[in-house]
Amino acid sequence: MLKYKQEKPKKFSLGMKQRLGFAAAVLSRPKVVILDEPLNGLDVEGMIAIRKLIQHLAETEQTTFFISSHLIHDVELTCTRIGVIYDGKMLNVESTANILKNYATLENYFVSEVERNGRVSSCAG
């Protein structure tokens, strides 16, 4: 990445900005990091690298990551625990392994939790 050291970040691609933002977020070795769509704009290699880095920091540095994402598959591959927040309220927190024992997909789990709490309206017309 030294070839970019003289460039202004505003000229970076979205993926490069994501990588820079992630690096800035973990540089000081915080105990808690909140990430909103951290894989947005990354190519496949970048997504894999960031997922591995999140897992590595969680294991070796005991860093807790709160990740907000609509990319459910990436959440499944990255996170050990899933919390469902809907309408500003935490509905449930469960281990990913436990969820996948009881539901075919994380999407099914999310819909089930939301429906169980009476928040999904019918789309029937």
Side-chain angles (χ1 to χ4, degrees):
M1 290 298 207
L2 288 178
K3 68 181 181 177
Y4 298 106
K5 72 179 186 176
Q6 298 299 324
E7 285 194 39
K8 302 284 185 213
K10 69 181 178 180
K11 293 183 178 182
F12 288 176
S13 68
L14 177 57
M16 291 280 288
K17 288 177 182 175
Q18 286 289 83
R19 286 178 173 91
L20 180 61
F22 184 83
V26 299
L27 186 62
S28 65
R29 301 172 77 182
K31 287 295 177 193
V32 176
V33 177
I34 300 170
L35 300 172
D36 183 24
E37 302 289 350
L39 304 179
N40 186 36
L42 295 175
D43 59 11
V44 173
E45 290 175 346
M47 293 168 77
I48 292 168
I50 295 294
R51 274 199 310 260
K52 286 182 178 179
L53 191 51
I54 288 169
Q55 291 166 333
H56 174 75
L57 292 171
E59 291 171 16
T60 62
E61 301 287 329
Q62 303 302 303
T63 305
T64 298
F65 287 90
F66 287 97
I67 300 173
S68 172
S69 180
H70 69 281
L71 301 174
I72 294 175
H73 179 70
D74 290 312
V75 170
E76 180 179 331
L77 293 173
T78 308
C79 301
T80 57
R81 292 171 48 92
I82 306 292
V84 175
I85 298 174
Y86 188 80
D87 199 25
K89 297 181 180 100
M90 179 70 77
L91 301 182
N92 196 12
V93 177
E94 186 66 64
S95 76
T96 306
N98 216 24
I99 292 168
L100 294 175
K101 274 191 238 175
N102 298 304
Y103 296 89
T105 66
L106 289 181
E107 184 176 330
N108 289 355
Y109 169 70
F110 174 82
V111 170
S112 174
E113 285 299 305
V114 173
E115 284 177 343
R116 193 164 57 87
N117 287 276
R119 300 249 169 45
V120 172
S121 61
S122 173
C123 293

